[in-house]
Each structure stands twice: as C-alpha cells, then as structure tokens.
C-alpha cells in the first residue's frame, strides 16, 4: 500500500486528506480541516495565506509518514516574492474590488477577441491578468522578483523549488494555450514583467523533497492538477468521453473534457473558458456562481441546520422566484438575501426556505444553460451529467439539475478533488498505471455514486428560462 497526502484548499476552507492506494482500491481519510477566511485590512481584502500554511503543516504532521504530497487550490490568486525569496505581504483576495473597471481598460488596449484567441479564457473580473494590471506601480509589485500562484507558493515553502503548474497557470489569462507557454508579448504590452513568472511544470512532475528543517520527513512534493477543478475532473468517475461535469462547491464549474480548445467567436461571446487539464486535456467550461449565495445566506442567518432548510425548500413551489446567479451583483460578500430579494423582483421572501428554493432553482437553471451551451459550442454530445464536490451531497440541487438538463445526474464522489490529487500522485510514484480512463475506472469501483433521473417534460424549465431572458 502507498500513502499520499492531498492538500486541498477551497474558496472557503482547506483540508489535508490521506489517500491510501493499493491494488484496485483507493480510500481517503481527513486528518485536518481549517477555515479559509479572508481578512480585510483597510479597504483591501486579503487571503490569510500564513494561516493556510499553518493548517497545511498541522495536517501533514497529523498525516504521519507519506510517500508523496500534492497541493491544489482555487485559481488566479498569487503571492509575490522579493529578491531573497521572502513573501511581500499577504496576497490580495480575488473578491477584492481593486479590479473594478480593469477588464474594460485591458479590452481597450488588447481587444477582447484577440485576448480570447490567445488565452482562451472566460472573462472574469478577478483573473490574474486584471489583478496585475490593477496592481501596476504599487511598491509591492515593483519590489517583486517572482510571482507564485497559491499551490506553487506553498510548494515553494515546503521544498524551496519555484515553478508554475500548468493547469493553474492556464487560469491566469496570461498563458498562450495553444503554444503551451507564457504569453510574454501580452504581458509586456500590459506593463507586466515576464520575468516574474517561473518555468511551467506538468501535472505528475516531482517538484522536490520536503526540506528537512520542516520536521515532517522528506517525502516528495508532486505537482498534481493544482487548480482544484483540474483535480476534481480527474476524480469524475465517467465511463466514457460523452459526459458533462459540474464541480460544485462555492463555484460551479460546468463543462466537458476535450482534446483541444474551442476558440471560436461564439465561444467567446458565450463566456466559456478553455483551461488546461491533466494528460493534455482541455477543461472547456463556464464558471457559474455555485453555492456561494447559499453559503453567504447561511452565514448571515447564523448557520442554521442546512438539511432541514433544504427539506423545507423542497416543499416551496418551484420557480416562485428565479434570478440570474451569474450577475456580478452576487459576487461580493454581505447582505446576500437582500440582493436576492432585489434581483427577484418578487417582493420580500416569506421565509429562509423561499430564499433557498430561489437559489436552488436559479442554480439548476444556470447548470442547464451551461450544459446545453457546452454541447452546442464544442460539438461534444453528453449522455449524463456528473456532479462532484460538496454539491453532490445536496439532493435537492442534484434532482433539480437532472430535471433542468433532462439528463441523468450521477452525484459523487464528494471528495473528487482530493481523489484526483491522490491518483495523479500515485501514478507519478508508480503505485498505479494508466491514463484517465483507468484512474476513473478505479473510482467507479470504489466510490459511492447516486443516480438522479430527470422528471417532467422540461416545459416548466423552459418557461423559467424565458423569465430570466425577458
């Protein structure tokens, strides 16, 4: 048996999982969970990366001896290092307002069509490209000599080795996706120094051993699909290529897996993104707001019993209120229920259950739209939708998504990201063999998957969709 530690840092929490791999079986055990809570200092929202690193170290100590360590996290955010390798302040959080208006400035300089043809990235106001333009001429950026995305920063602290794992680098909007390298001319045209960016490394690359001084032994740190969605897609237990996936947590990443990017004008206008995947695949997907509005409402309401609230929401009449969850108005934290009320145009909600039903119906509608568009734009036919991540536990959302898409939903595994992380490590270490089909077959044999068949004829969903388009 081989043992691997998967460090998985999500948008709202982090954890260290221990994966045990032996012939025909893979299992996971959580050894440490910790919050990922941004900190506001003055007008700026920061990621508390030092607290995250402490949680990682505590988890690795609790994990005991392991054969490898892999790190994945959310995308786009970064730390800056000075000439000595020291961190220049806590990273700015992607939900910070500093990028307001920046995408429009970049579009005026580059042109959105040219930018998409080069990078293949969905226009999101928090993309790394916009964060760096917003940070232009700041003393911190002027003093910086290296930029490391969050998983690469933690790997650097563990090993002393610098690099940029490809799947996460592809989310920056600073990568030439077809050429497979950094887009140096694009950086220069925007006043971004190409020298900030370290060499790229592929998933499965051994980064180096943990430094002895850390005191947890010297296992190798292995580059996995370090964008958490890249690892989650490895963890989709699909039996063939004709599937859509929804990696559902704070965000819903909805898409299909392709051998090559889709860089058409129609794809750009639909705001679909082409991100690097494991084994040279392309994650062709759309970012949907996901469970963030629900998480914010629960926080505002004092963390009520979610299963009970979902049962109450299931009894609320469908489509009492629907909103476009992709509206940027829902991106910042704070007063989420109030913003949902204003956007619904239906007056005050009578109960938290009605708010939750609005979120669930609206998110299922967003899933429906994204799955349909992914098929149309890519030419890839879909037979089923796989929901992985925390959203796979949400029975109401899974059933509504099946109803909305008119396709069976296969929910699970919940821990797809950590499983994908462990499987890429295990393959790199020689503990298992094969490509993505073989890794996914192992998951189908070992992980619980719940099937939800679509109900109804879809007319009500078409009507609700037209209400949003009106």
């Amino acid at each position: 048996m081989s043992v691997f530690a998967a460090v998985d840092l999500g948008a709202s929490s982090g954890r260290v999982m221990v994966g045990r791999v032996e012939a025909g079986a893979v299992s996971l055990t959580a050894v440490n969970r910790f919050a990922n809570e941004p900190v506001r200092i003055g007008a700026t929202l920061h990621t508390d990366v030092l607290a995250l690193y402490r949680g990682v170290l505590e988890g690795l100590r609790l994990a005991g001896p392991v054969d490898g360590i892999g790190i994945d996290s959310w995308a786009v955010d970064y730390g800056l290092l000075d000439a000595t390798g020291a961190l220049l302040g806590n990273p700015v959080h992607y939900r910070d307002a500093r990028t307001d208006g920046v995408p429009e400035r970049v579009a005026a300089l580059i042109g959105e069509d040219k930018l998409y043809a080069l990078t293949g990235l969905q226009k999101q106001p928090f993309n790394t490209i916009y964060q760096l333009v917003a940070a232009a001429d700041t003393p911190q950026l002027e003093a910086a000599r290296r930029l490391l995305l969050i998983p690469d920063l933690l790997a650097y602290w563990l090993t002393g080795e610098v690099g940029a794992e490809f799947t996460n680098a592809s989310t920056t909007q600073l990568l030439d996706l077809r050429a497979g390298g950094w887009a140096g001319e694009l950086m220069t045209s925007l006043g971004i120094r190409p020298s900030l960016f370290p060499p790229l490394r592929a998933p499965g690359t051994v980064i180096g051993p943990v430094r002895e001084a850390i005191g947890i032994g010297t296992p190798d740190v292995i580059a996995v699909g370090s964008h958490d969605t890249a690892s989650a897609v490895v963890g989709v237990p699909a039996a063939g290529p004709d599937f859509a996936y929804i990696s559902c947590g704070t965000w819903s990443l909805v898409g299909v897996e392709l051998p090559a990017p889709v860089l058409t004008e129609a794809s750009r206008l639909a705001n679909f993104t082409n991100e690097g995947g494991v084994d040279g695949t392309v994650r062709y997907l759309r970012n949907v707001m996901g469970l963030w509005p629900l998480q914010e409402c629960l926080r505002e309401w004092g963390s009520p019993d979610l299963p009970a609230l979902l049962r109450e929401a299931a009894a609320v009449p469908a489509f009492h209120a629907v909103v476009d969850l992709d509206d940027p108005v829902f991106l910042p934290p704070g007063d989420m229920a109030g913003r949902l009320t204003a956007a619904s145009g239906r007056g005050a909600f009578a109960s938290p259950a009605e708010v939750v039903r609005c979120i669930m119906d609206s998110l299922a509608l967003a899933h429906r739209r994204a799955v349909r568009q992914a098929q149309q734009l890519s030419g890839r036919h879909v037979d089923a939708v796989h929901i992985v991540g925390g959203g796979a536990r949400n029975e109401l959302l899974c059933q509504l998504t099946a109803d909305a898409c008119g396709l069976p939903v296969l929910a699970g595994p919940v821990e797809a990201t950590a499983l994908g992380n462990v499987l890429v490590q295990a393959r790199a270490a020689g503990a298992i063999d094969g490509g993505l089909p073989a890794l996914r077959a192992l998951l189908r044999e070992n992980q619980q998957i719940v099937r939800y068949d679509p109900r109804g004829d879809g007319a009500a969903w078409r009507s609700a969709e037209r209400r949003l388009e009106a």
Side-chain angles (χ1 to χ4, degrees):
M1 181 173 63
S2 299
V3 182
F4 302 93
V7 176
D8 177 26
L9 304 177
S12 58
S13 65
R15 61 263 185 91
V16 177
M17 311 284 284
V18 172
R20 293 175 172 83
V21 179
E22 51 190 327
V26 57
S27 62
L28 284 178
T29 304
V31 294
N32 197 32
R33 296 183 184 270
F34 43 93
N36 180 9
E37 297 178 352
V39 178
R40 189 172 295 280
I41 303 175
T44 304
L45 193 66
H46 292 271
T47 294
D48 192 354
V49 73
L50 299 180
L52 293 178
Y53 184 57
R54 180 177 60 216
V56 168
L57 289 180
E58 289 174 354
L60 293 177
R61 291 188 178 104
L62 291 168
V66 295
D67 298 299
I69 299 169
I71 306 170
D72 65 74
S73 86
W74 73 99
V76 305
D77 285 349
Y78 59 87
L80 296 171
L81 305 181
D82 69 12
T84 71
L87 181 67
L88 289 164
N90 265 350
V92 178
H93 195 279
Y94 69 90
R95 292 190 189 274
D96 185 74
R98 67 174 174 165
T99 58
D100 289 354
V102 174
E104 292 73 22
R105 285 165 46 197
V106 170
L109 288 170
I110 305 296
E112 291 183 352
D113 54 348
K114 181 179 178 181
L115 190 60
Y116 191 82
L118 180 66
T119 68
L121 260 284
Q122 176 182 5
K123 182 180 177 182
Q124 296 276 22
F126 45 70
N127 287 350
T128 314
I129 187 174
Y130 303 128
Q131 293 197 43
L132 287 170
V133 171
D137 300 323
T138 59
Q140 190 180 85
L141 189 57
E142 290 295 315
R145 293 298 176 267
R146 278 295 188 202
L147 179 151
L148 296 178
L149 297 168
I150 298 300
D152 301 320
L153 177 63
L154 298 183
Y156 166 68
W157 284 340
L158 289 174
T159 68
E161 301 291 335
V162 298
E165 189 277 320
F166 182 79
T167 69
N168 214 12
S170 74
T171 71
T172 62
Q173 212 165 7
L174 292 165
L175 194 79
D176 183 334
L177 190 59
R178 281 185 285 199
W182 293 115
E185 290 185 10
L186 171 63
M187 295 176 186
T188 301
S189 68
L190 294 172
I192 299 169
R193 283 176 284 139
S195 61
L196 287 171
F197 297 84
L200 294 165
R201 54 170 72 114
T205 302
V206 175
I207 297 171
V210 173
R211 292 181 290 119
E212 287 187 12
I214 291 176
I216 59 171
T218 58
D220 282 331
V221 178
I222 299 169
V224 296
S226 72
H227 182 203
D228 51 11
T229 309
S231 280
V233 173
V234 173
V236 171
D242 297 330
F243 67 95
Y245 56 82
I246 302 175
S247 179
C248 184
T250 299
W251 291 91
S252 277
L253 293 306
V254 186
V256 293
E257 186 176 71
L258 300 175
V262 179
L263 300 172
T264 62
E265 181 68 0
S267 179
R268 180 183 75 82
L269 292 174
N271 215 20
F272 266 73
T273 199
N274 297 269
E275 296 173 358
V278 171
D279 288 1
T281 57
V282 172
R283 294 175 287 128
Y284 184 63
L285 60 89
R286 195 167 189 277
N287 279 38
V288 174
M289 196 66 75
L291 292 170
W292 164 250
L294 177 62
Q295 293 167 351
E296 274 293 280
C297 287
L298 294 175
R299 183 182 63 81
E300 293 165 15
W301 296 335
S303 302
D305 180 15
L306 178 57
L309 200 49
L310 288 170
R311 287 193 295 271
E312 293 175 27
V316 173
F319 313 121
H320 170 74
V322 291
V323 299
D324 180 5
L325 287 183
D326 288 334
D327 190 321
V329 72
F330 300 117
L331 184 61
D335 192 27
M336 185 63 71
R339 279 178 280 158
L340 288 164
T341 300
S344 71
R346 299 294 297 268
F349 289 103
S351 67
E354 286 193 358
V355 178
V356 172
R357 184 57 188 249
C358 170
I359 295 170
M360 294 296 100
D361 283 343
S362 300
L363 184 51
L365 278 169
H367 290 167
R368 166 190 169 92
R369 180 170 60 247
V371 168
R372 182 179 67 243
Q373 288 181 319
Q375 294 179 84
Q376 292 171 343
L377 294 166
S378 70
R380 169 62 57 83
H381 172 72
V382 166
D383 293 325
V385 178
H386 285 263
I387 295 183
V388 297
R393 290 194 186 100
N394 190 320
E395 295 178 7
L396 177 58
L397 178 61
C398 291
Q399 185 61 63
L400 291 175
T401 298
D403 299 344
C405 295
L407 291 166
V409 162
L410 302 172
V414 171
E415 302 291 358
T417 300
L419 287 164
N421 179 320
V422 165
L423 290 174
V424 170
Q425 287 190 70
R427 189 175 63 175
I432 53 176
D433 296 314
L436 290 175
L439 302 186
R440 288 168 176 158
L442 184 62
L443 294 176
R444 288 196 303 278
E445 295 167 4
N446 287 273
Q447 300 298 313
Q448 182 178 7
I449 302 166
V450 180
R451 181 183 175 107
Y452 296 84
D453 288 310
R455 304 174 306 188
D457 62 3
W461 291 97
R462 289 191 292 272
S463 176
E465 200 167 37
R466 286 193 293 270
R467 280 167 55 186
L468 288 182
E469 295 170 350

